[in-house]
Amino acid sequence: MDRFSELPESILLHILSFLNMRDVVRTAILSKRWSHLWTIIQQVDFDLKDFFPYQNFVDFVNRTLLCRGNCKITRLRIGLFLNASSRKDYVGWIMYATKNNVEELFLDFDSDCCEWLPPPCVYSNSSLKTLRLWSCRLVPAMQIRWNLLTKLTLRFSVLWDDIIRKIMVGAPKLEVFELDTCWGYNDLTFDSPSLRVLIICDDESGVYEHGPVMRISAPNVQFLRLSGSLYRKCVLMNMPSVVQATLDFHPYTHSDKQKEDLKWKQDNLMELVGCLQHVESLTLGSWCIEVLALREKRRMPCQISTYKCVTLSAYMTEDDLLGTVNLLKGSPALQTLIIDMQSVLYDWRRRAMEYSCNSNVEDYLASQAKHIRCLRHLKTVKLTKFVEQHSVFPFVEFILKNGSVLENLVIIARRGSEENSPESLLKVAQRLLSMPRASFRAVITLLN
């Protein structure tokens, strides 16, 4: 007998829980010890991948669930491409899961052009704790009763404002709510006292019409993430409890109309930043840094905030450096700065700018030192996915030279990058150690 087979049954079932159900069933041929495990595993994952034709997948799911009988199931995931002819099978699978008191249900039904309607047993369920639905249309007339639900994710789905209100009432323990590229809503009120995490990716639909404004009210939410194309104005109305926020928009600029809309989108971004100036931790995506860079070029006033930690997703071009400086000038209480360096520049103009080193970078940074008050509070600076670039070293040297209470400068090199050879990183380390430091406590760490 092999060593795996000697393990307790609970350990074997835990190992199998990381596999899709097709591979789990295949383990039955290993030995008698394994022959029955696929029928009692409580974490079940069906995926259309590697099944052809489509009916083979449907038949496999039906046979597997039939052989399991009434065995307890705690987690069920079904990943497939919607096929209208198999609707009865979908409903049967879902009813099987709810009948067996499933706690985590992931229905990843992908689709190009249609939505499916969840059966009534999905709307009213007393065992669900985690629910994820793709490509569905929630019916407003249905009453929602999710007494134990703590996490809800809706993706590529259609729901209206009144459905959001019903969810807030019908899911009294809901803590995490994610809307990923959904449509139909305009005024979002998340007033559940238990809701702590709100994630919204708002993107345009070629089928469903939207109002010109998306309003969000979430008085108890502490962690907020907003992303998408910012195709319509976004307004935050009641967000006093947020302590950690992420803004990561990427507007489309393919057509002339989309380019013309950039001005109001930039203004909308700054309105959102202003609404979140009270948060302790803020994360900004690369386009947001570009907007801050434009404000710095135009010498527009900085928005003053109380951030203690800021994370920036930036290419670290000279323009990104301007955006970073603009943010630092408006964050006098900042203690931690994290820059997640991005590797791919899709715009050739940004590439050209990256490789044209501006000899005035050092002079510009030196001229702004007196305006960056957080240098008297900044204790930790971290650069992740580091690759040597022209504007990085002047910025690092500026921080070391002016950070009077700096304790840690951590640079984590990007793995698998040709630029980060051992010889190259050795030169980087030597250059870092040669830089003057204003703080005697400052420790420089370079990790590969």
Side-chain angles (χ1 to χ4, degrees), residues 161-174:
D161 296 337
D162 55 347
I163 294 179
I164 299 291
R165 288 190 285 270
K166 287 187 175 182
I167 292 174
M168 292 298 99
V169 175
K173 295 186 177 182
L174 189 64

PDB file of all heavy atoms in Angstrom, residues 161-174:
ATOM      1  N   ASP A 161     -32.783  48.026  -8.910  1.00  0.00           N
ATOM      2  CA  ASP A 161     -32.555  48.663  -7.611  1.00  0.00           C
ATOM      3  C   ASP A 161     -33.368  48.010  -6.495  1.00  0.00           C
ATOM      4  O   ASP A 161     -32.875  47.844  -5.372  1.00  0.00           O
ATOM      5  CB  ASP A 161     -32.909  50.164  -7.695  1.00  0.00           C
ATOM      6  CG  ASP A 161     -32.000  50.914  -8.662  1.00  0.00           C
ATOM      7  OD1 ASP A 161     -30.889  50.423  -8.920  1.00  0.00           O
ATOM      8  OD2 ASP A 161     -32.399  51.988  -9.139  1.00  0.00           O
ATOM      9  N   ASP A 162     -34.630  47.655  -6.803  1.00  0.00           N
ATOM     10  CA  ASP A 162     -35.463  47.080  -5.741  1.00  0.00           C
ATOM     11  C   ASP A 162     -34.984  45.696  -5.325  1.00  0.00           C
ATOM     12  O   ASP A 162     -35.230  45.255  -4.191  1.00  0.00           O
ATOM     13  CB  ASP A 162     -36.930  47.032  -6.171  1.00  0.00           C
ATOM     14  CG  ASP A 162     -37.142  46.285  -7.476  1.00  0.00           C
ATOM     15  OD1 ASP A 162     -36.131  46.022  -8.163  1.00  0.00           O
ATOM     16  OD2 ASP A 162     -38.295  45.967  -7.813  1.00  0.00           O
ATOM     17  N   ILE A 163     -34.263  44.983  -6.220  1.00  0.00           N
ATOM     18  CA  ILE A 163     -33.699  43.693  -5.829  1.00  0.00           C
ATOM     19  C   ILE A 163     -32.590  43.891  -4.813  1.00  0.00           C
ATOM     20  O   ILE A 163     -32.453  43.109  -3.861  1.00  0.00           O
ATOM     21  CB  ILE A 163     -33.176  42.940  -7.071  1.00  0.00           C
ATOM     22  CG1 ILE A 163     -34.337  42.573  -7.990  1.00  0.00           C
ATOM     23  CG2 ILE A 163     -32.403  41.690  -6.658  1.00  0.00           C
ATOM     24  CD1 ILE A 163     -33.921  41.849  -9.244  1.00  0.00           C
ATOM     25  N   ILE A 164     -31.788  44.937  -4.999  1.00  0.00           N
ATOM     26  CA  ILE A 164     -30.752  45.255  -4.005  1.00  0.00           C
ATOM     27  C   ILE A 164     -31.391  45.489  -2.640  1.00  0.00           C
ATOM     28  O   ILE A 164     -30.908  44.996  -1.610  1.00  0.00           O
ATOM     29  CB  ILE A 164     -29.954  46.500  -4.430  1.00  0.00           C
ATOM     30  CG1 ILE A 164     -29.246  46.262  -5.771  1.00  0.00           C
ATOM     31  CG2 ILE A 164     -28.953  46.890  -3.356  1.00  0.00           C
ATOM     32  CD1 ILE A 164     -28.122  45.281  -5.715  1.00  0.00           C
ATOM     33  N   ARG A 165     -32.496  46.219  -2.630  1.00  0.00           N
ATOM     34  CA  ARG A 165     -33.178  46.489  -1.351  1.00  0.00           C
ATOM     35  C   ARG A 165     -33.691  45.193  -0.722  1.00  0.00           C
ATOM     36  O   ARG A 165     -33.621  45.008   0.503  1.00  0.00           O
ATOM     37  CB  ARG A 165     -34.325  47.473  -1.579  1.00  0.00           C
ATOM     38  CG  ARG A 165     -33.858  48.895  -1.876  1.00  0.00           C
ATOM     39  CD  ARG A 165     -35.010  49.877  -1.865  1.00  0.00           C
ATOM     40  NE  ARG A 165     -35.831  49.762  -3.064  1.00  0.00           N
ATOM     41  CZ  ARG A 165     -35.610  50.446  -4.188  1.00  0.00           C
ATOM     42  NH1 ARG A 165     -34.578  51.278  -4.248  1.00  0.00           N
ATOM     43  NH2 ARG A 165     -36.404  50.305  -5.222  1.00  0.00           N
ATOM     44  N   LYS A 166     -34.217  44.280  -1.554  1.00  0.00           N
ATOM     45  CA  LYS A 166     -34.708  43.006  -1.027  1.00  0.00           C
ATOM     46  C   LYS A 166     -33.563  42.164  -0.464  1.00  0.00           C
ATOM     47  O   LYS A 166     -33.735  41.467   0.534  1.00  0.00           O
ATOM     48  CB  LYS A 166     -35.446  42.232  -2.121  1.00  0.00           C
ATOM     49  CG  LYS A 166     -36.815  42.800  -2.467  1.00  0.00           C
ATOM     50  CD  LYS A 166     -37.555  41.886  -3.431  1.00  0.00           C
ATOM     51  CE  LYS A 166     -38.962  42.389  -3.689  1.00  0.00           C
ATOM     52  NZ  LYS A 166     -39.725  41.485  -4.583  1.00  0.00           N
ATOM     53  N   ILE A 167     -32.398  42.227  -1.113  1.00  0.00           N
ATOM     54  CA  ILE A 167     -31.237  41.482  -0.612  1.00  0.00           C
ATOM     55  C   ILE A 167     -30.814  42.017   0.746  1.00  0.00           C
ATOM     56  O   ILE A 167     -30.478  41.248   1.667  1.00  0.00           O
ATOM     57  CB  ILE A 167     -30.074  41.563  -1.623  1.00  0.00           C
ATOM     58  CG1 ILE A 167     -30.417  40.798  -2.895  1.00  0.00           C
ATOM     59  CG2 ILE A 167     -28.783  41.013  -1.005  1.00  0.00           C
ATOM     60  CD1 ILE A 167     -29.390  40.948  -3.998  1.00  0.00           C
ATOM     61  N   MET A 168     -30.833  43.334   0.912  1.00  0.00           N
ATOM     62  CA  MET A 168     -30.442  43.928   2.182  1.00  0.00           C
ATOM     63  C   MET A 168     -31.363  43.476   3.320  1.00  0.00           C
ATOM     64  O   MET A 168     -30.920  43.271   4.457  1.00  0.00           O
ATOM     65  CB  MET A 168     -30.473  45.461   2.082  1.00  0.00           C
ATOM     66  CG  MET A 168     -29.415  46.071   1.166  1.00  0.00           C
ATOM     67  SD  MET A 168     -27.709  45.756   1.689  1.00  0.00           S
ATOM     68  CE  MET A 168     -27.268  44.371   0.617  1.00  0.00           C
ATOM     69  N   VAL A 169     -32.639  43.283   3.007  1.00  0.00           N
ATOM     70  CA  VAL A 169     -33.607  42.840   4.023  1.00  0.00           C
ATOM     71  C   VAL A 169     -33.544  41.327   4.209  1.00  0.00           C
ATOM     72  O   VAL A 169     -33.589  40.820   5.336  1.00  0.00           O
ATOM     73  CB  VAL A 169     -35.036  43.272   3.634  1.00  0.00           C
ATOM     74  CG1 VAL A 169     -36.050  42.704   4.616  1.00  0.00           C
ATOM     75  CG2 VAL A 169     -35.134  44.794   3.592  1.00  0.00           C
ATOM     76  N   GLY A 170     -33.421  40.596   3.091  1.00  0.00           N
ATOM     77  CA  GLY A 170     -33.509  39.140   3.143  1.00  0.00           C
ATOM     78  C   GLY A 170     -32.229  38.429   3.507  1.00  0.00           C
ATOM     79  O   GLY A 170     -32.240  37.213   3.722  1.00  0.00           O
ATOM     80  N   ALA A 171     -31.101  39.170   3.575  1.00  0.00           N
ATOM     81  CA  ALA A 171     -29.815  38.558   3.959  1.00  0.00           C
ATOM     82  C   ALA A 171     -29.247  39.332   5.155  1.00  0.00           C
ATOM     83  O   ALA A 171     -28.311  40.124   5.002  1.00  0.00           O
ATOM     84  CB  ALA A 171     -28.843  38.566   2.787  1.00  0.00           C
ATOM     85  N   PRO A 172     -29.792  39.109   6.343  1.00  0.00           N
ATOM     86  CA  PRO A 172     -29.418  39.921   7.513  1.00  0.00           C
ATOM     87  C   PRO A 172     -27.976  39.738   7.980  1.00  0.00           C
ATOM     88  O   PRO A 172     -27.477  40.579   8.729  1.00  0.00           O
ATOM     89  CB  PRO A 172     -30.400  39.451   8.593  1.00  0.00           C
ATOM     90  CG  PRO A 172     -30.772  38.060   8.181  1.00  0.00           C
ATOM     91  CD  PRO A 172     -30.791  38.086   6.683  1.00  0.00           C
ATOM     92  N   LYS A 173     -27.291  38.680   7.542  1.00  0.00           N
ATOM     93  CA  LYS A 173     -25.914  38.438   7.973  1.00  0.00           C
ATOM     94  C   LYS A 173     -24.890  38.708   6.865  1.00  0.00           C
ATOM     95  O   LYS A 173     -23.707  38.403   7.034  1.00  0.00           O
ATOM     96  CB  LYS A 173     -25.758  36.996   8.474  1.00  0.00           C
ATOM     97  CG  LYS A 173     -26.571  36.689   9.728  1.00  0.00           C
ATOM     98  CD  LYS A 173     -26.272  35.295  10.256  1.00  0.00           C
ATOM     99  CE  LYS A 173     -27.032  35.024  11.543  1.00  0.00           C
ATOM    100  NZ  LYS A 173     -26.717  33.672  12.087  1.00  0.00           N
ATOM    101  N   LEU A 174     -25.331  39.292   5.767  1.00  0.00           N
ATOM    102  CA  LEU A 174     -24.443  39.526   4.623  1.00  0.00           C
ATOM    103  C   LEU A 174     -23.296  40.463   5.000  1.00  0.00           C
ATOM    104  O   LEU A 174     -23.512  41.558   5.505  1.00  0.00           O
ATOM    105  CB  LEU A 174     -25.235  40.118   3.458  1.00  0.00           C
ATOM    106  CG  LEU A 174     -24.494  40.225   2.123  1.00  0.00           C
ATOM    107  CD1 LEU A 174     -24.134  38.843   1.599  1.00  0.00           C
ATOM    108  CD2 LEU A 174     -25.332  40.985   1.097  1.00  0.00           C
TER     109      LEU A 174
END
